[in-house]
C-alpha cells in the first residue's frame, strides 16, 4: 500500500480526531472535522490510501471509537506513530485501520510518499529513499485487516452470522 503522509506531533488525542462538541453528528459529518484543530484542511485534503503519522501517545484521551471511525471513513490506510494509546490502537485495528509503531516516525515529513508492507514489517519512504523495519502485526490480526476489520472478519469466520 502506498500514499501520502499527513504528519502530526505528540499527544494527538481522540478529542482532536472526534471533537466532543460534535459527537451528535452522523459519523460521516463528524469525520469532516477530524484533526481540524491541528490541521483545518486535513479532512478535505486526505485521500483514500493516505497515512497519518504521529509522534508519541497517538490517540490519548477518551476511549471514543469515533476517532478511529473518522480516520477510517476518510480513507486513512494506516496510522504510523512512535507510540499509541492502547484503546485507540485496539479501536483502529477493530475498524481495519492498522497502527504501526515506528520509533523513527519523526523522520517522515508531511507530503512524503510512503509504501508500507504490513506483512513484511517494512515502511519505505519513497520521497527520501529511506526504509524502516517495524514489528509486523501477528498473522491473526493480519487476517482481520485483510477482511476489513473485526466485524467483517467475524462475519466471514462465522458464515455471516455475526
Amino acid at each position: 500500500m502506498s500514499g501520502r503522509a499527513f504528519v502530526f506531533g505528540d499527544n494527538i488525542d481522540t478529542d482532536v480526531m472526534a471533537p466532543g462538541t460534535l459527537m451528535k453528528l452522523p459519523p460521516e459529518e463528524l469525520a469532516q472535522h477530524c484533526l481540524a484543530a491541528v490541521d483545518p484542511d486535513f479532512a478535505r485534503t486526505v485521500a483514500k490510501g493516505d497515512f497519518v503519522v504521529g509522534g508519541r501517545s497517538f490517540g490519548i484521551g477518551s476511549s471514543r471509537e469515533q476517532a478511529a471511525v473518522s480516520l477510517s471513513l476518510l480513507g486513512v490506510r494506516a496510522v504510523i506513530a512512535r507510540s499509541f494509546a492502547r484503546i485507540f490502537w485496539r479501536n483502529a485495528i477493530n475498524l481495519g485501520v492498522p497502527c504501526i509503531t515506528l520509533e523513527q516516525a519523526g523522520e517522515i515529513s508531511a507530503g512524503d510518499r510512503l509504501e508500507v508492507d504490513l506483512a513484511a514489517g517494512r515502511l519505505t519512504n519513497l520521497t527520501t529513499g529511506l526504509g524502516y523495519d517495524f514489528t509486523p502485526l501477528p498473522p491473526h490480526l493480519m487476517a482481520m485487516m485483510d477482511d476489513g476489520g473485526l466485524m467483517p472478519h467475524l462475519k466471514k469466520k462465522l458464515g455471516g452470522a455475526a
Side-chain angles (χ1 to χ4, degrees), residues 15 18-25 30 64:
D15 195 52
T21 58
L22 304 175
M23 293 300 288
K24 291 186 179 184
L25 292 175
L30 179 61
R64 64 180 67 148

Side-chain angles (χ1 to χ4, degrees), residues 47-130:
K48 184 175 182 177
D50 286 341
F51 300 96
V52 166
V53 179
R56 295 191 187 282
S57 301
F58 191 91
I60 62 169
S62 72
S63 61
R64 64 180 67 148
E65 183 180 47
Q66 294 88 340
V69 168
S70 291
L71 293 174
S72 176
L73 288 172
L74 291 171
V76 170
R77 186 60 185 103
V79 180
I80 303 154
R82 292 178 78 177
S83 64
F84 291 92
R86 201 74 189 139
I87 294 173
F88 173 83
W89 186 91
R90 190 64 215 196
N91 284 338
I93 293 289
N94 283 348
L95 290 162
V97 179
C99 291
I100 299 166
T101 303
L102 183 70
E103 185 60 34
Q104 303 90 343
E107 296 177 19
I108 299 169
S109 297
D112 283 357
R113 300 279 313 161
L114 306 178
E115 185 174 76
V116 174
D117 184 333
L118 286 174
R122 183 78 177 159
L123 182 150
T124 303
N125 187 325
L126 300 173
T127 302
T128 65
L130 296 173

